[in-house]
Amino acid sequence: MGLTSNKVLLLAIMFAVVLFAGAVWLWPRLARQHWRAVSGRVGLLLATQVAVFASVGLAANQAFGFYATWADLFGQEDGQGVVVDHIADGAASPIRVVSASRVPGVSSGVPQVAGQVQKIDILGRTTKIAAPAFVYLPPEYFQAGGRNRKFPVSVVLTGYPGTAQALVDKLNYPSTAQRLTKDGKMQPMILVMLRPSVAPPRDTECVDVPGGPKTETFFAKDLRESVMSRYRVDATPASWGIIGDSTGGYCALKIAMHHPKSYGAAVGLSPYYKAPIDATTGDLFHGDKNLRDRANLFWMLKHQSAPETSLLVTSSKIGEHNYKDTLRFIKNVQDTNVTRVSSIILPSGGHNFNTWRREIPAALQWLSARLVSH
């Protein structure tokens, strides 16, 4: 049974309840002072607490999508390889569609009515980075009237160590986009959903690490080329947006600011504005001061030419640690008179899925209004 299985969670809860009931029932028998009774009390209390913490941890993981599998939890994920198809001319195809499924939360399973979610494997041709992802295709993609149309694309990034699956069924990006399009509040748009940590368990912060993964190049170049090779999308940056939460929000802003010829708009949900260095990242810059400075968005706005792009940032007055930095970032962007900036500031809201679900509909509408289709 998988880490996110409802059966695992139910068994953990049942085990905790049984241990609690057993502790209450057996406590009178273990009330004596000899070593066996004392050991029994300690063992029951310890086992009950472990079972309760395991139940709470499993429930939290299901709610927030921190880890997808047991291997992911214990840092043993090794699913880096992808099977690569070959087309007639012998060139390797950079995308393989693994499966297709209905959009969660939408009653119809007909693609022409409800759209479709495809699970894919991506291989970066220049970086050689392999990454799993999910692609949401809107109903219009399958309809006769859309067969000659090129659709706008938004790359959607999780936080760290989030899972791409959580973007589909926890943050509800596909069903939200489908509903907003149906209601006429946004244009049909393809969503490419994946983790920013393309070399798990390492958190690369979307940096081209010297001697390591070229994560920024993967998102700025390889991912775009891979998607264009498979789906009906346009190459112009005005047709491409990027959005993410937390680490993914920082990556979205940075990639759009560094590569305005790749992405015309970016959204950072609860982002930070410079790459941290900690146990999960390792040494990202290898002493390269220019690389370190460039990963600091405040430094970039002060010392480099402002990029021609549109940015949206979000925060909360109560509950988010990035509130003051976000106000500072907005002011610094405004001072450029080149880069455009918008914001969503909630009265309160923590750094969690519930807050981001409150912001995603407005963020998708904002992106839709700034991207063009052909």
Side-chain angles (χ1 to χ4, degrees):
M1 291 183 287
L3 178 63
T4 59
S5 167
N6 288 329
K7 292 181 180 178
V8 171
L9 177 59
L10 181 60
L11 284 174
I13 293 173
M14 291 175 61
F15 187 55
V17 170
V18 169
L19 283 174
F20 177 79
V24 173
W25 179 258
L26 294 174
W27 199 259
R29 301 184 185 183
L30 300 173
R32 300 175 184 178
Q33 298 303 315
H34 57 75
W35 69 271
R36 290 182 180 175
V38 173
S39 298
R41 294 198 298 271
V42 171
L44 274 174
L45 287 174
L46 181 61
T48 302
Q49 289 181 346
V50 168
V52 170
F53 279 121
S55 300
V56 172
L58 287 167
N61 187 63
Q62 280 211 17
F64 297 106
F66 296 123
Y67 301 98
T69 64
W70 296 107
D72 193 19
L73 174 64
F74 293 110
Q76 298 171 337
E77 184 178 84
D78 55 5
Q80 291 295 294
V82 298
V83 177
V84 180
D85 293 328
H86 293 268
I87 54 180
D89 62 1
S93 174
I95 283 186
R96 181 176 73 97
V97 177
V98 178
S99 63
S101 60
R102 66 193 302 165
V103 176
V106 178
S107 57
S108 175
V110 179
Q112 291 86 345
V113 176
Q116 186 180 81
V117 174
Q118 295 183 351
K119 184 177 182 180
I120 65 171
D121 286 328
I122 302 171
L123 176 63
R125 279 181 166 164
T126 61
T127 61
K128 305 305 179 186
I129 288 175
F134 291 90
V135 172
Y136 162 71
L137 299 172
E140 292 79 5
Y141 190 87
F142 301 96
Q143 295 169 3
R147 289 175 183 170
N148 296 318
R149 177 180 179 181
K150 290 188 175 181
F151 290 80
V153 184
S154 283
V155 174
V156 185
L157 302 177
T158 70
Y160 178 85
T163 66
Q165 183 71 53
L167 296 171
V168 177
D169 55 22
K170 301 296 182 184
L171 286 175
N172 307 322
Y173 272 96
S175 59
T176 301
Q178 194 270 351
R179 184 185 73 251
L180 291 173
T181 303
K182 183 179 178 181
D183 292 343
K185 295 181 178 179
M186 64 175 278
Q187 63 175 313
M189 184 162 56
I190 294 173
L191 305 179
V192 182
M193 299 164 281
L194 69 166
R195 303 167 75 172
S197 49
V198 294
R202 187 177 187 183
D203 176 14
T204 59
E205 294 291 327
C206 298
V207 168
D208 277 355
V209 181
K214 304 299 182 185
T215 313
E216 183 170 341
T217 299
F218 173 79
F219 284 110
K221 177 179 173 60
D222 283 355
L223 178 60
R224 278 173 40 93
E225 292 179 354
S226 297
V227 172
M228 286 187 287
S229 74
R230 178 79 193 194
Y231 300 102
R232 299 195 303 275
V233 301
D234 194 73
T236 175
S239 296
W240 285 76
I242 184 168
I243 178 174
D245 59 78
S246 191
T247 299
Y250 161 71
C251 286
L253 297 176
K254 180 178 71 173
I255 291 168
M257 292 174 69
H258 285 182
H259 304 276
K261 293 184 178 180
S262 294
Y263 294 93
V267 178
L269 305 176
S270 307
Y272 43 88
Y273 302 97
K274 66 177 181 178
I277 299 295
D278 55 30
T280 65
T281 65
D283 185 359
L284 291 175
F285 308 117
H286 291 247
D288 188 330
K289 183 178 182 299
N290 290 332
L291 189 62
R292 183 194 65 206
D293 288 343
R294 196 162 176 266
N296 184 328
L297 303 187
F298 290 119
W299 183 93
M300 182 183 172
L301 287 169
K302 183 176 180 181
H303 294 93
Q304 295 188 343
S305 299
E308 182 71 24
T309 191
S310 296
L311 308 174
L312 170 65
V313 292
T314 78
S315 188
S316 303
K317 292 182 179 179
I318 300 174
E320 281 284 13
H321 296 298
N322 77 334
Y323 177 60
K324 291 183 178 179
D325 279 344
T326 296
L327 297 183
R328 177 187 166 199
F329 181 78
I330 293 170
K331 177 64 168 58
N332 288 1
V333 173
Q334 286 178 318
D335 289 343
T336 69
N337 292 318
V338 176
T339 307
R340 297 164 296 279
V341 66
S342 305
S343 67
I344 298 173
I345 306 295
L346 298 177
S348 64
H351 197 78
N352 55 54
F353 279 18
N354 184 58
T355 297
W356 300 327
R357 281 192 291 263
R358 295 161 60 195
E359 298 166 340
I360 287 170
L364 286 177
Q365 291 178 74
W366 181 89
L367 268 177
S368 171
R370 282 153 183 81
L371 301 183
V372 299
S373 58
H374 296 273

